[in-house]
Structure formats: structure tokens, C-alpha cells
Amino acid sequence: MDFLPLFTDLRNKPCLLVGGGQVALRKARLLCKSGAQLRLVAHDILPELSTLCMNSGGECIRGDYGDHLLDEVFLVIAATDDEALNKQVSAACHARQIPVNVVDNPELCSVILPAIIDRSPLVIAVSSGGKSPVLARMMRSRLEASIPASFGRLAQLVGSFRDAVKARFDDIEERRHFWEQTLQGPIAEMVFAGKDKVAAEMLSKAIDKAEVSAGGEVYLIGAGPGDPDLMTFKALRLLQRADVVLYDRLVAPAIVDMCRKDAERVYVGKARADHAVPQQDINKLLVKYAKEGKKVARLKGGDPFIFGRGGEEIEELAEEKIPFQVVPGITAASGCASYSGIPLTHRDYAQSVRFVTGHLKDHSLNLPWAELVHPTQTVVFYMGLVGLPSICAQLIAHGRGGDTPIAVIQQGTTPQQKVVVATLATMIERLAKEPVQAPTLIIVGEVVKLREKLAWYEHYDLANGAV
């Protein structure tokens, strides 16, 4: 994070704007909208800009900029096409520790003006840290389309009842739970329907008779194979509702960072022969936090019910009569295969697919090998890197040809993805030359042949439009 997002109260505060053209006009509109008192200096000043300045209770100075103009100024914006002048303004502001923004020159800035979604009093700011203002504006457009104007009215309603709720609930956690129930229930829906008066009456009654449930709940959330964009809307919504987040080593840090900033984060990662927190202890932690009345998110890589031991966790929750929700995630087989250009099924190569764990409870590889060697079946091995020599040998021994294609995918769907393709007979030798690191996924079957044809985009030259 290059810049810490902050919201600043500019009401009746003097702010200096250096420049009198169209760019300065855009910045002046923003400053005036926030209630700033505008001080403007430039040789040539647009009439509308002059009017804005005077209406804000400020002053227009037609002439040269001087450092004396920084006296008692709260914020400075340099909006000129004079590079030397912009540098002078920036240096003077940095020397006096006055926040300064130099338009389209982030190196000279101590503050960045973001793209803004204004649903006052709800205000959302989007910034690229000055790297790509166009991208920030594109993101603003997307957000504006999904955030109705009624959210501003909802924020107004909540603000008008904050003191009443604070008086009703002494405990901050009770207040938070009350507002969560309110903002996700029929009161909010009344506001969205334009029935603000009805919503206010409902909220007043809810405060009088409110009995906030202190009961905890657990969300088993499939985080997908690694790429944060593969999270579902429901997964993100419940993750951001959680008071406590338990996550394992297969969950990407970018996904963990999507939880509430005040949520407690508990690492319960497990690796082969290195269980940082044993499964039974994880189960007990889920029960413990839920009985404390907390919303608990159990973030699991991939899908909770595909080799994720989610079934074991909800068994204990059910026994303790703790409410829970299970959110499916994109399993590693689907995500890694797609990002590698390998279809798991294909009419010409494979009519079925089988998911197998290469790491059983007793650390053995006692698998039904005779069922895994059908030539028109794709077999996907989870957690099979350590046992790969045995996997290759057993498949060959039970009738699968040594020339059967096999792919080993390292950290699929992430920027660290690496795909090694060989045959059952040659893969171990190939990995000796091109080693991979866990987590990995192994795909065995004729469909692997299609990678060379379907993953052409990995070598696509965007600049020249050629492979």
C-alpha cells in the first residue's frame, strides 16, 4: 500500500489551488463540494472557476505563485502544465509538511485525490496510488453501477439513530450485531424501496424491543484454488461478516486480507507431516468461538467437501447444535485444469473424471488402482507429489500405458503457477530436471495432450498479435 486512504474534513478550511484552467476547475468543484474555502492563484482564470472561488468565501489572486501563499493553508493542489512551478509548490509544501497534490505527478504528491463514488454520507474512494487514474475511474464506474443512490439514504437513517442504539446497547459487540441485522433485513429493504418513513418507524420499534441474538455461527467457506477472483459472492459476503477467521496454508494471503480489518485471524495451516494445528483442535476452536457468540469463518482452500475435511468439522458442529453454513468453492481440479488449458473431459479423449487423494489417512497409497486405469477416464490426484513415483509405477503396473500423458501443476491459478507435462514413464525423470513445490495437482489422462493446443494464450504476444 503506497498511500493510506484517509477522509479529511475540509469544511471552512482554506485550501490553495495553483492553476486557472480546466484541470484546476475540476479540482475546484471537488474542493467546493466538500465545503473548502478556496484560495486560487493563476495569471489566467476561467470565469466559472472564479465564481466557484468567490462563492466558497475564498479569494482569486491573478498573478505569480509565491511560497507566502502557503501561510495558514490546510491543503494545496497544483494543477498547472508548468513542471518547474509544480516542483516548486511541491517542495515548499513538503518543507512545511502541508499536504500537497500535484495533478498527474504522483512522485511530487503527499496526498492522492481518488476517484469518488458519492452516496453522501456514504462516500467510497478508489485510488491506484497515481499509477493509473484511468483504471481507478473505470473501477469507480463499475462500483457506481452496483451501489444504488438509496445507500446514501440508508446511511442517513442509520446516522439519525446511532445515539439511540448506543443508549440501548452498552456493549459494542451487541451494537454491531444489531446494526448487522438491521442493514441486512427488512428495514434496509424499505429504504431501497423508497419508503424511508416506514423504515424509520420500523427501526424505532426494533430498538425498543431489540433482543440481539448472541448465538454464534460458523461459515465453512471454500476459498478456491488460489486466485482471489474465483471466490463466490456469498463467500465474500460471509467472510466480511465474520468476527474470527480460521484459515489454512492453501488460502492465498490476498483472500485472507478480504476479511474485516477488526476480525481476529487464526492460522491453522497443515502440511504433510506438519500439522500446525491438529484437525481435532480446529474442530474444538470452531465450537469454542461460536459458543462465545462469534461469527466464525473457516476458510479452506478449494472446496470444503472435496478432500477438505469439511465433513469432519460440521459433524462436531452438528453435535454441539451450532448453526453453520457451507459455501462451496471452486475445487483445485477444476481451477488448475482450466488455468492450464487441460479440459478434464472431452468427447474424443475422456468421458469421465475421477478425483483421488494421493495422501490417505494412514499415509499409505492403498488405492483401487484397477479402477483408475481405464483409458477414457481422467484421474486427478490431490496431495500426490510425495507419492508420485508410486502413483506412476502403480498405474503402469495395473495396465495404464507408460506413454499416458501426465501433468503436474504447481500452485495453480496463482502467478506462481507452473505446469510440467510428461508421461507416466518419464515424469519422475522430468521433475528431477524441473522440480516443483507443493501444493501441486496431478492430472493423468489423454486430455493432457490438449494442453499444447488449448494453452496457446500462455505464449501469446499481445503487442504483435502472434504466438
Side-chain angles (χ1 to χ4, degrees):
M1 187 187 298
D2 295 328
F3 290 86
L4 177 67
L6 297 171
F7 288 85
T8 304
D9 182 3
L10 295 181
R11 288 172 295 182
N12 300 317
K13 292 184 172 65
C15 297
L16 177 65
L17 180 58
V18 184
Q22 288 292 337
V23 175
L25 177 59
R26 292 199 300 270
K27 303 304 178 185
R29 288 170 178 158
L30 189 61
L31 290 172
C32 291
K33 193 172 184 179
S34 64
Q37 186 184 82
L38 194 58
R39 180 182 298 176
L40 178 66
V41 58
H43 283 280
D44 298 311
I45 301 174
L46 292 173
E48 184 180 351
L49 187 52
S50 177
T51 301
L52 282 174
C53 181
M54 301 310 296
N55 289 342
S56 74
E59 60 176 329
C60 288
I61 303 169
R62 298 180 184 273
D64 293 329
Y65 162 82
D67 290 349
H68 66 282
L69 296 174
L70 300 179
D71 294 344
E72 299 181 358
V73 166
F74 190 80
L75 171 70
V76 176
I77 298 178
T80 81
D81 55 6
D82 186 333
E83 185 176 351
L85 176 57
N86 290 340
K87 288 182 177 179
Q88 177 187 349
V89 173
S90 174
C93 289
H94 279 86
R96 297 193 185 197
Q97 297 185 346
I98 298 173
V100 60
N101 173 263
V102 179
V103 177
D104 288 337
N105 200 330
E107 290 77 14
L108 299 180
C109 297
S110 61
V111 295
I112 295 290
L113 299 186
I116 293 173
I117 299 99
D118 188 359
R119 301 289 186 267
S120 293
L122 179 67
V123 178
I124 302 169
V126 181
S127 173
S128 65
K131 300 294 191 300
S132 178
V134 173
L135 178 60
R137 288 195 292 271
M138 288 172 59
M139 292 303 300
R140 176 189 64 191
S141 297
R142 291 189 183 186
L143 289 170
E144 281 191 316
S146 61
I147 303 174
S150 52
F151 271 81
R153 303 201 316 276
L154 180 60
Q156 287 280 13
L157 176 66
V158 169
S160 65
F161 281 89
R162 281 194 68 191
D163 290 342
V165 171
K166 191 173 183 179
R168 173 67 176 79
F169 302 107
D170 294 330
D171 183 75
I172 189 171
E173 286 298 310
E174 288 186 346
R175 289 201 296 272
R176 185 171 62 77
H177 285 306
F178 174 81
W179 283 124
E180 285 178 350
Q181 293 173 11
T182 299
L183 294 172
Q184 297 173 46
I187 293 175
E189 293 300 325
M190 286 294 105
V191 175
F192 298 152
K195 301 177 180 179
D196 295 29
K197 185 176 180 180
V198 175
E201 293 172 355
M202 291 172 62
L203 182 52
S204 179
K205 293 177 181 177
I207 294 170
D208 290 339
K209 65 178 183 179
E211 294 181 2
V212 177
S213 172
E217 186 176 8
V218 175
Y219 315 128
L220 259 65
I221 299 174
D227 185 345
D229 286 347
L230 296 180
M231 287 269 286
T232 65
F233 287 126
K234 184 174 184 179
L236 182 59
R237 176 169 56 82
L238 293 182
L239 175 61
Q240 294 178 340
R241 188 187 297 179
D243 306 305
V244 183
V245 178
L246 278 66
Y247 64 99
D248 60 43
R249 72 183 185 93
L250 297 179
V251 179
I255 293 176
V256 179
D257 286 341
M258 290 178 177
C259 70
R260 287 201 335 250
K261 298 305 178 186
D262 62 335
E264 181 180 352
R265 304 181 188 187
V266 182
Y267 176 69
V268 292
K270 301 190 294 295
R272 182 183 176 91
D274 180 21
H275 288 204
V277 180
Q279 184 61 52
Q280 190 56 38
D281 289 351
I282 295 175
N283 300 348
K284 293 184 183 303
L285 280 174
L286 295 175
V287 171
K288 169 185 174 292
Y289 286 122
K291 285 189 172 181
E292 291 174 358
K294 296 177 179 178
K295 308 296 184 185
V296 187
R298 172 67 171 107
L299 262 182
K300 306 175 77 68
D303 182 278
F305 283 0
I306 299 182
F307 307 126
R309 305 186 73 173
E312 298 173 44
E313 293 174 351
I314 64 171
E315 274 187 304
E316 190 145 348
L317 295 173
E319 289 176 5
E320 297 287 342
K321 293 183 170 49
I322 293 173
F324 61 84
Q325 297 184 49
V326 180
V327 184
I330 293 179
T331 188
S334 179
C336 296
S338 297
Y339 277 53
S340 302
I342 302 173
L344 294 177
T345 61
H346 189 284
R347 278 177 28 172
D348 297 332
Y349 297 97
Q351 287 74 55
S352 65
V353 60
R354 187 152 178 172
F355 298 166
V356 183
T357 176
H359 174 55
L360 298 183
K361 186 175 182 180
D362 60 359
H363 304 296
S364 73
L365 270 175
N366 185 24
L367 298 172
W369 298 107
E371 300 175 12
L372 304 180
V373 295
H374 196 284
T376 61
Q377 174 180 254
T378 302
V379 183
V380 180
F381 290 89
Y382 287 68
M383 300 170 286
L385 184 60
V386 173
L388 185 56
S390 180
I391 290 172
C392 293
Q394 289 287 351
L395 288 174
I396 292 173
H398 285 79
R400 200 74 195 254
D403 59 351
T404 301
I406 176 174
V408 176
I409 305 168
Q410 166 190 289
Q411 299 181 49
T413 79
T414 74
Q416 292 74 41
Q417 175 173 300
K418 177 181 179 181
V419 183
V420 179
V421 175
T423 66
L424 289 177
T426 62
M427 178 55 83
I428 303 307
E429 181 181 351
R430 181 73 179 275
L431 288 180
K433 298 176 181 178
E434 293 186 58
V436 295
Q437 296 179 340
T440 59
L441 191 88
I442 301 163
I443 302 177
V444 179
E446 299 300 317
V447 291
V448 176
K449 292 179 180 178
L450 294 168
R451 170 175 159 75
E452 185 175 349
K453 178 180 180 181
L454 300 182
W456 60 271
Y457 52 83
E458 291 185 352
H459 309 288
Y460 187 69
D461 186 339
L462 289 175
N464 299 312
V467 177

